Amino acid sequence: MAPWRRSSSSAPSSRPARRPARTNARVSPDVSSELSPLAGEEGAGEERWSALVPDLLADILRRVEAGSEKWPPRRDVVACASVCRRWRDVAVAVVQPPLESGKITFPSSLKQPGPRDAPMQCFIKRNKKNSTFFLYLGLTQELTDDGKFLLAARRCRRGLHKEYAITINSDGLFHGSHSCVGNLKSNFTGTKFTIHDWQPPYEGAKAFSSRSGCWFGNKHRCPLVSTGDVEVGEVSYKYSLLRSRGPRRMSCSVQCPVLEGTAVDPQDGKRLSNSIPSSLVLNSKVPSWHEHLQCWCLNFHGRVMVASVKNFQLIAPVEPGEPSDETVVLQFGKIDDDVFTMDYRQPLSAFQAFAICLSNFGTKLA
């Protein structure tokens, strides 16, 4: 007779029954949806949250949005938008885009135009050992705060060219990652860079085959869904035949989407892809020569601490007959060995501004 089976007529034994080693004869109770009182509780809870009166739900989200002006309290708005589809729709209708509010809330805000009134103050941290760059949103006026992580990039050499993979996740720094939102590619001489935007997957996207992936370094990456690789900008550095250590001269041509009204749904890629872009040309502001300091100078309004050839400001060119308005659209400057400030505003987005600043690290010009 098996040790785990006991006959009804057998006498009880004082020695406890020993469980046989390496046995899989474990019996679990059958918890069905009809017998379990907890079954369907999760689905019922979601229905209760989504069944709130629309006016009451909108009022709740307005109060949450008004009470979280900056990060990290701003994450409460993202948490409300993650409850269910209905909450997300109301949150998108309540939250204003960075153009109007001057705040970054959803990941889609990184590809929307920056603030209209004042620049968005960010900073970039560089890691020379593994050629990675991290973009943070400044939380205070101090230049040394921890900041809110926004984007990350990794530089890789592909033959004679350089390429930067830009992601929204600091752990997915490779080409073809699910978190990859775009890339930056350079030419052979390092004087021209193209910005590519990976549009969100469209409905009915098909999976890549095993041969349709792409190589990044010595690794083959194959994304699960197809994405659109759209060129949204170009950065050019003017090469001078002179050997002088003068300031860099750069020009940018970018496609800026025009989005107004409310924030874009993080899962709605149609509105981003269907928005009508406007072409914009930016040129670097020419610095003035300071006779006393014997160097080129620009007014960074206290946001730059170290003199560097990488420091620059981009302004929109003024057409003949128009009043001269040298509004700085993007400024980039050094404050420490591996820390740089990046301040941008309308019509550039955080993604485009970050890509332009990355080209400043990759150019071969002195």
Side-chain angles (χ1 to χ4, degrees), residues 265-280:
D265 190 339
Q267 296 186 0
D268 187 6
K270 291 184 177 180
R271 186 175 173 185
L272 280 173
S273 58
N274 295 336
S275 58
I276 301 176
S278 60
S279 180
L280 175 68

Side-chain angles (χ1 to χ4, degrees), residues 27-36:
V27 181
S28 300
D30 182 14
V31 182
S32 60
S33 59
E34 294 81 10
L35 299 178
S36 175

Side-chain angles (χ1 to χ4, degrees), residues 39-99:
E41 183 177 354
E42 182 179 356
E46 184 176 353
E47 292 180 0
R48 287 199 304 267
W49 287 111
S50 61
L52 291 178
V53 180
D55 295 339
L56 176 60
L57 178 58
D59 183 66
I60 293 174
L61 293 179
R62 288 193 190 97
R63 291 174 181 268
V64 174
E65 201 272 339
S68 54
E69 292 291 333
K70 297 181 180 180
W71 289 90
R74 194 75 180 165
R75 60 188 176 189
D76 295 339
V77 181
V78 181
C80 292
S82 305
V83 173
C84 60
R85 179 67 186 184
R86 187 175 182 183
W87 280 59
R88 182 165 62 249
D89 294 339
V90 177
V92 168
V94 171
V95 177
Q96 295 294 322
L99 180 66

Side-chain angles (χ1 to χ4, degrees), residues 228-273:
D229 192 359
V230 182
E231 182 177 340
V232 295
E234 181 179 295
V235 184
S236 301
Y237 291 87
K238 296 182 179 180
Y239 182 76
S240 178
L241 297 178
L242 300 178
R243 294 291 182 178
S244 61
R245 300 280 294 181
R248 291 176 178 175
R249 300 178 59 187
M250 57 184 299
S251 63
C252 305
S253 176
V254 293
Q255 299 292 331
C256 300
V258 180
L259 293 174
E260 296 185 358
T262 59
V264 179
D265 190 339
Q267 296 186 0
D268 187 6
K270 291 184 177 180
R271 186 175 173 185
L272 280 173
S273 58

Side-chain angles (χ1 to χ4, degrees), residues 228-352:
D229 192 359
V230 182
E231 182 177 340
V232 295
E234 181 179 295
V235 184
S236 301
Y237 291 87
K238 296 182 179 180
Y239 182 76
S240 178
L241 297 178
L242 300 178
R243 294 291 182 178
S244 61
R245 300 280 294 181
R248 291 176 178 175
R249 300 178 59 187
M250 57 184 299
S251 63
C252 305
S253 176
V254 293
Q255 299 292 331
C256 300
V258 180
L259 293 174
E260 296 185 358
T262 59
V264 179
D265 190 339
Q267 296 186 0
D268 187 6
K270 291 184 177 180
R271 186 175 173 185
L272 280 173
S273 58
N274 295 336
S275 58
I276 301 176
S278 60
S279 180
L280 175 68
V281 178
L282 300 174
N283 295 323
S284 58
K285 186 176 181 179
V286 180
S288 59
W289 179 258
H290 198 286
E291 292 292 342
H292 179 68
L293 299 177
Q294 291 295 306
C295 64
W296 299 97
C297 294
L298 283 173
N299 185 10
F300 291 96
H301 303 281
R303 294 282 295 168
V304 177
M305 299 299 179
V306 181
S308 174
V309 70
K310 294 182 174 62
N311 300 343
F312 71 87
Q313 290 179 338
L314 291 182
I315 58 176
V318 180
E319 297 182 359
E322 294 185 357
S324 58
D325 183 16
E326 292 188 349
T327 301
V328 178
V329 179
L330 171 64
Q331 75 173 15
F332 175 83
K334 189 174 184 179
I335 60 176
D336 204 348
D337 290 340
D338 294 315
V339 184
F340 304 82
T341 58
M342 188 198 83
D343 302 340
Y344 75 97
R345 63 190 307 163
Q346 178 201 16
L348 289 180
S349 64
F351 167 74
Q352 292 173 331

